[in-house]
Amino acid sequence: MNANSDKGATVIEAALETMPSVPGVYRMIDAKGEAVYVGKARNLKQRVRAYVQDRRLSERLRRMVSDTESVEIVTTHTEAEALLLEANLIKRLKPRYNIVLRDDKSFPWLVVGEDHPYPQVSKHRGAQLRKGSYWGPFASAWAVNQTVTAMQRVFLLRSCADTVFASRTRPCLLFQIKRCSAPCVGRVTPEDYAKLVNQAKSFLAGKSGDVQQELAAEMEDAAGSLNFERAAAVRDRLRGLTFVQGNSVVNPASLSNADVIAAWQVAGRTCVQVFFVRGGHNNGNRPFFPVHTKSEEIPEVLAAFITQFYDDKPPPPLLLVNEELPEVELIAEALSLKASYKVEIGCPQRGKKRDVVLHAEINAREALERKLAESTAQAKLLEGVAKLFNLAASPERIEVYDNSHIMGANPYGVMIVGGAAGFEKSAYRKFGIRGPITPGDDFAMMREVLQRRFSRALKQQAEGAALTDWPDLVLIDGGAGQLTAARDVMADLGVNDVKLVAIAKGPDRDAGREWLHTEGAAAFQLPPNDPVLYFLQRLRDEAHRFAITTHRAGRSTAIRRSELDEIQGIGSARKRALLNHFGSARGVKMAGLADLEATPGISRETALRVYAHFHPGARRENA
């Protein structure tokens, strides 16, 4: 080990002196106070000692030891609890020496509401706070929308909002096309609608055979009573159910509630494909690309993926994987502990379940091939950028800056980041302009943003932190003036190793004929069909989109605030009463004392306080 490794080993040996021999989780902390590695152990002391006694550590772990400045531990009762805590910390802290699942997308669910006499079926994301039955997860919004459509077609459940439901006076189009039973205008009784809801829940729970038999009996009964119109309506629902049952993208065979998880690895990159099967129905699939080193094999990647994937969602009773997992019993025990029911993990070798796993494996391979093709194209574009701007190598990190405001109001600056993996949205930053600057001075705004971003990084470097987020290229939305402003800031800070480029549409504002401004060279244009130009446009447009979104969010917040918020004793309820009565803050400001006193929910004392705020000269007179 080198000197830095020896230093890290010394830190670890010191921590071992007081480390207990119990299950738990350990964190290796670097000089910046950030976790660089998180691990679990049945015996903390024995596991952590391996980092200083085992001379066969991989290069990745040797670097981790050299970066270690301190060690923190959390003890648990069992190794299964430690595994769950490890997965939670890895997903939250994203240590750079762990296999990390970087996925911030929430999964949609289907909810059948239970807070209304006529329950609504709808798509749901986020916390499950609404009273109702939740079904899922689904792999995508498309998958859950397909199920909602099936629920409308087969069970005639409403999907409209409660406010729309309350305001209907005649059936909507969904009733006309036989996708709703029109409970809003009394075309179905509460009892019959409740029956439809129960049938829908049975279908979602995997009891579609029972529902099918019930509908068949209902159709025969209606036909026997010579109620042929009713029999035809039930027949249409039965046909719809048969269509839905046979329209699954993947036949889940004998599966009822399971996730099919398959991984494929090429050139040190891994794709994990997950198929969701709930109630015997395929809820869609989604690919994932965990971050790991090239030395990690599929079983280790799969094991880390599974523990992190189910950190914030309930696992099904069965997981089918395409590779035998290390510590599979421990992982199953941890998931069972989390779910409060038994979870099994299987790697089928034959039969229908094996066919489903192989299908998922093929999807994983195809998704990885597409990803690698995209990465290759991205690498060629970055090579083109390096050649265009005379960079020493392909840029690993490109930072793009833009501003947004309306006549100087609610000014914001933003930074977006692009690289070999595409847009790195977790690295995006917003800068609320502090000033003081002249309203609408774009150059001053850019100077402030760059000053704050790079002075902060230089300060961290002076404190001993490594510059892991230093850009190779800075792209600015603007022309020669913005380039000059950026260059002045960099010169003042002593930053001379970052290439500065400004991109402007020019006086005719013609996209595709942008002018590129660089220091020490005349402005130039690229051919309209140049792929590097298209790449630079995408970067610029993403920064512009993010700037506008940030500005709009800030402006909406400012609009929601009003001068009424400055009046002591005026809370949200009284503010709402005043705005509802007078229509706007300006209306409140122009109102007389008698009008304020007549506002429902406003006492004389409150009316005096509001009137005095807007009419300071009358304060003493009305006291």
Side-chain angles (χ1 to χ4, degrees), residues 394-470:
S394 295
E396 296 182 2
R397 180 183 174 101
I398 301 176
E399 293 183 356
V400 191
Y401 293 85
D402 194 11
N403 300 323
S404 184
H405 61 88
I406 293 181
M407 301 297 290
N410 307 118
Y412 283 89
V414 299
M415 175 191 81
I416 66 115
V417 178
F423 293 119
E424 300 177 20
K425 296 193 175 183
S426 61
Y428 287 16
R429 294 294 179 267
K430 306 172 184 177
F431 301 86
I433 302 301
R434 299 167 182 169
I437 62 173
T438 302
D441 188 344
D442 288 333
F443 299 154
M445 291 172 62
M446 185 61 67
R447 281 193 291 267
E448 178 180 328
V449 169
L450 294 174
Q451 171 75 28
R452 287 164 58 183
R453 185 268 184 264
F454 285 96
S455 62
R456 183 182 305 155
L458 293 173
K459 181 181 178 181
Q460 292 174 348
Q461 183 186 40
E463 294 173 350
L467 288 178
T468 58
D469 58 353
W470 197 252

Side-chain angles (χ1 to χ4, degrees), residues 73-93:
I73 65 168
V74 177
T75 62
T76 60
H77 293 95
T78 65
E79 189 180 7
E81 290 180 357
L83 180 61
L84 292 176
L85 178 58
E86 176 199 40
N88 178 271
L89 290 174
I90 291 174
K91 196 167 183 180
R92 180 162 56 88
L93 301 176

Side-chain angles (χ1 to χ4, degrees), residues 317-332:
L318 177 63
L319 304 181
L320 297 180
V321 296
N322 68 327
E323 294 271 357
E324 295 286 355
L325 303 182
E327 300 183 309
V328 63
E329 295 86 1
L330 176 63
I331 297 173

Side-chain angles (χ1 to χ4, degrees), residues 17 92 103 146 154 211 243 257 292 310 339 364 376 418 435 438 477 502 504 509 513 541 575 578 604 614:
E17 295 179 3
R92 180 162 56 88
D103 182 67
Q146 290 291 100
V154 180
V211 176
F243 173 79
N257 291 292
H292 62 87
Y310 295 107
T376 301
T438 302
D477 184 17
R509 311 297 295 170
R513 300 299 299 165
D541 292 346
K575 175 184 173 183
L578 290 166
R604 175 174 171 78
F614 291 115

